[in-house]
Structure formats: structure tokens, C-alpha cells
């Protein structure tokens, strides 16, 4: 891929990753979002699904790139794709905090309109005990939170200058946590569905293939390192 094409490719990837978000905006403007039987449920599932699928896409970039040296340019898209997964995961968290948990959005808005800047925080303080209770009682929330915190750490440390500041090795070690984040997100999905529901199997199968590819690569690298080097005189 000629390097002149990379900026265009990045624009294309931005456009594709923003499509789900645009769909939400359009549904909201057309009134079809609020007309749904359970808009909050829809938003929670929609943002959770996209956060996870984009995360898996991000994980797929490295093994696909390794298939051929001609695909080396793919690595230049990885940071961007990873940040989009974090973007949807954060929307998912915001939907949980402000819509799913019983936060009184109309009262917060009315307060702001009346010039009471503290009202949104007051409303947050009212739902905080039940949210905290959720975190303590529901293991699927705990593991989801773990996945989000890991994605946050990866997003914050993703700029080149942070990489230089941390040093390549330390940065790489931290960024391997992306596998733990994906694993936690898949566990989150299994733990929230009702017993007998097999819906998360697709993401589980994709993650298993990606982890296997990583393992095979690692084993190959180890074998290469261990192999004796024959020199010709
Ligand atoms: C920040 C912490 C998180 C919280 C509080 C949270 C909360 C939730 C809730 C309440 C649901 C819906 C449960 C239900 O329907 O009963 C859900 C579903 C889901 N979440 Fe999360 N989540 C979090 C993080 C994440 C992350 C980081 C990901 C992915 C990277 C994710 C992916 C999903 C998926 C795939 C679903 C199911 C969607 C479906 O059923 O189609 N969640 N989450």
C-alpha cells in the first residue's frame, strides 16, 4: 500500500467506525429510538455489541498483518480502531450511568436551565448508592468495569509521546492487556445473559481464534530463538 493512500484509508476507517454512532443519531432525530419498546435496553446492547466487535477487529489486525510483509501498513490503523472500541465502551458506560441506573435526566436538565449547576451532581449522588450496590452484587458489572478500566489505560497511553516516555518494552507489556480486556468483555457478556442463552458464542469463537493465533506466533518465535545458528566457514 503506497503511503500516500494511508490518510485516505484512515478517513475510510473513521467513516466506517462512526457508522453505528451515526445510526443512533439518525434514529434519535427521526424519533424511531424513543418509539422502541425499550430504548435504554436497545442503547445498552447496541453500544456494548459495537465496543466488543470493534475490540475484536483491533485484535485481528496484528495476526492478519503477520500473514504477509505486504500487509505491514495495517498496523497504522490499530491505534485508531482501538480508540473507537474505547469510544463505544464509554458510550455504553454513560448509557448505564445516565439511563440504565435510574438517573433523573429531566430533573438534571431542568436544574441546569434554571441555573442550578449542581443539579446534575445532586442527581448523580441520588443514584450512586444503587449503582455502587450493583457493582458490589453483580459480577458481570465488576468484570465489565475491569474491561473498561483496561481500555481506558490503553487509550490514555496510546499516543506516540507516551510510548516514548514509557519505553517500548513497558508500553508493549501494558498494551498486551488488550487481550485481558477482550477476555473480560466476553466473560461480561456470558455472565449477563440468562442461563441457556448461547448468544455470546460468536464473540467467544472469534476471541479463541485470535488468542490461538497469538499463541502459535509466540511458540514459533521461541522455536526460532532456540534453534542453533549454523555458520558456514
Ligand atoms: C464500564 C462498565 C460496564 C458496565 C457498567 C456495563 C453494563 C452493562 C449492562 C447493564 C448490560 C445489559 C445487561 C442486561 O441487558 O441485563 C451490558 C451488556 C453488554 N455489555 Fe456491558 N458494561 C460495561 C462494560 C462493557 C465493556 C467494556 C464492553 C465491551 C468492550 C461491554 C460489552 C457488553 C455487551 C457485548 C453486552 C451485551 C449486548 C447484547 O446483549 O447484545 N460492556 N453491559
Amino acid at each position: 500500500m503506497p503511503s500516500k493512500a494511508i490518510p485516505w484509508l484512515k478517513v475510510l476507517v473513521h467513516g466506517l467506525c462512526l457508522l453505528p454512532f451515526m445510526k443512533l443519531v439518525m434514529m434519535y432525530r427521526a424519533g424511531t429510538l424513543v418509539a422502541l419498546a425499550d430504548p435504554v435496553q436497545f442503547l445498552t446492547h447496541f453500544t456494548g455489541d459495537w465496543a466488543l466487535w470493534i475490540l475484536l477487529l483491533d485484535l485481528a489486525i496484528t495476526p492478519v498483518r503477520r500473514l504477509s510483509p505486504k500487509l505491514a501498513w495495517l498496523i497504522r490503523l490499530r491505534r485508531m480502531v482501538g480508540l473507537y472500541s474505547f469510544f463505544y465502551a464509554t458510550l455504553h458506560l454513560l448509557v448505564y450511568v445516565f439511563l440504565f441506573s435510574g438517573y433523573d435526566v429531566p430533573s438534571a436538565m431542568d436544574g441546569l436551565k434554571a441555573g442550578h449547576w449542581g443539579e446534575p451532581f445532586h442527581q448523580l449522588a441520588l443514584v450512586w448508592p444503587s449503582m455502587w450496590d450493583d457493582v458490589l452484587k453483580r459480577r458481570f458489572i465488576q468484570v465489565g468495569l475491569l474491561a473498561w478500566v483496561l481500555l481506558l489505560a490503553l487509550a490514555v497511553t496510546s499516543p506516540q509521546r507516551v510510548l516514548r516516555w514509557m519505553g517500548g518494552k513497558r508500553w508493549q507489556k501494558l498494551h498486551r492487556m488488550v487481550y485481558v480486556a477482550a477476555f473480560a468483555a466476553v466473560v461480561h457478556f456470558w455472565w449477563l445473559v440468562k442461563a441457556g442463552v448461547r448468544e455470546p458464542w460468536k464473540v467467544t469463537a472469534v476471541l479463541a481464534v485470535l488468542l490461538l493465533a497469538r499463541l502459535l506466533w509466540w511458540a514459533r518465535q521461541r522455536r526460532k530463538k532456540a534453534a542453533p545458528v549454523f555458520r558456514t566457514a
Side-chain angles (χ1 to χ4, degrees):
M1 159 98 32
S3 41
K4 261 195 224 157
I6 298 285
W8 293 107
L9 192 69
K10 284 190 173 173
V11 172
L12 179 73
V13 176
H14 272 300
L16 288 175
C17 289
L18 280 170
L19 275 180
F21 182 68
M22 293 313 290
K23 181 182 166 168
L24 285 184
V25 174
M26 274 153 64
M27 283 178 77
Y28 175 74
R29 290 177 66 120
T32 47
L33 185 59
V34 281
L36 291 172
D38 191 342
V40 175
Q41 175 98 339
F42 172 82
L43 281 171
T44 316
H45 288 210
F46 187 86
T47 50
D49 279 339
W50 279 105
L52 186 48
W53 278 111
I54 296 178
L55 185 57
L56 294 176
L57 177 71
D58 178 58
L59 285 184
I61 290 179
T62 301
V64 171
R65 173 185 70 103
R66 282 172 181 156
L67 292 177
S68 156
K70 284 185 189 153
L71 295 172
W73 52 271
L74 271 174
I75 204 68
R76 295 173 70 178
L77 305 175
R78 229 197 121 158
R79 173 169 181 253
M80 199 165 119
V81 175
L83 286 174
Y84 272 109
S85 170
F86 176 64
F87 170 67
Y88 285 102
T90 305
L91 278 184
H92 183 65
L93 175 62
L94 292 176
V95 170
Y96 172 77
V97 172
F98 292 106
L99 301 174
F100 199 91
S101 65
Y103 182 91
D104 192 346
V105 181
S107 296
M109 297 304 272
D110 288 346
L112 280 180
K113 276 183 208 151
H116 301 136
W117 302 105
E119 190 55 29
F121 300 101
H122 172 65
Q123 291 302 329
L124 196 59
L126 290 181
V127 287
W128 177 250
S130 78
M131 275 197 305
W132 185 239
D133 209 40
D134 241 11
V135 174
L136 293 181
K137 276 195 196 139
R138 297 175 191 228
R139 55 183 193 159
F140 86 86
I141 300 274
Q142 293 162 6
V143 79
L145 203 55
L146 169 71
W148 185 80
V149 170
L150 288 173
L151 291 180
L152 171 70
L154 302 183
V156 169
T157 56
S158 71
Q160 281 291 320
R161 58 177 183 283
V162 182
L163 188 156
R164 278 195 294 273
W165 175 73
M166 285 181 75
K169 273 202 170 152
R170 266 204 312 163
W171 188 89
Q172 228 175 7
K173 236 183 193 173
L174 174 70
H175 279 253
R176 276 195 204 116
M177 285 292 154
V178 69
Y179 289 94
V180 182
F183 183 75
V186 169
V187 172
H188 169 69
F189 201 173
W190 276 112
W191 280 353
L192 70 90
V193 293
K194 289 193 180 76
V197 177
R198 294 272 164 264
E199 206 193 326
W201 74 263
K202 279 182 254 163
V203 283
T204 312
V206 173
L207 180 63
V209 170
L210 292 172
L211 287 176
L212 190 70
R214 166 101 220 170
L215 209 71
L216 290 176
W217 175 263
W218 178 74
R220 203 183 121 183
Q221 294 304 99
R222 263 179 78 104
R223 253 206 328 271
K224 263 193 190 169
K225 264 190 199 161
V229 182
F230 296 108
R231 290 172 202 275
T232 46

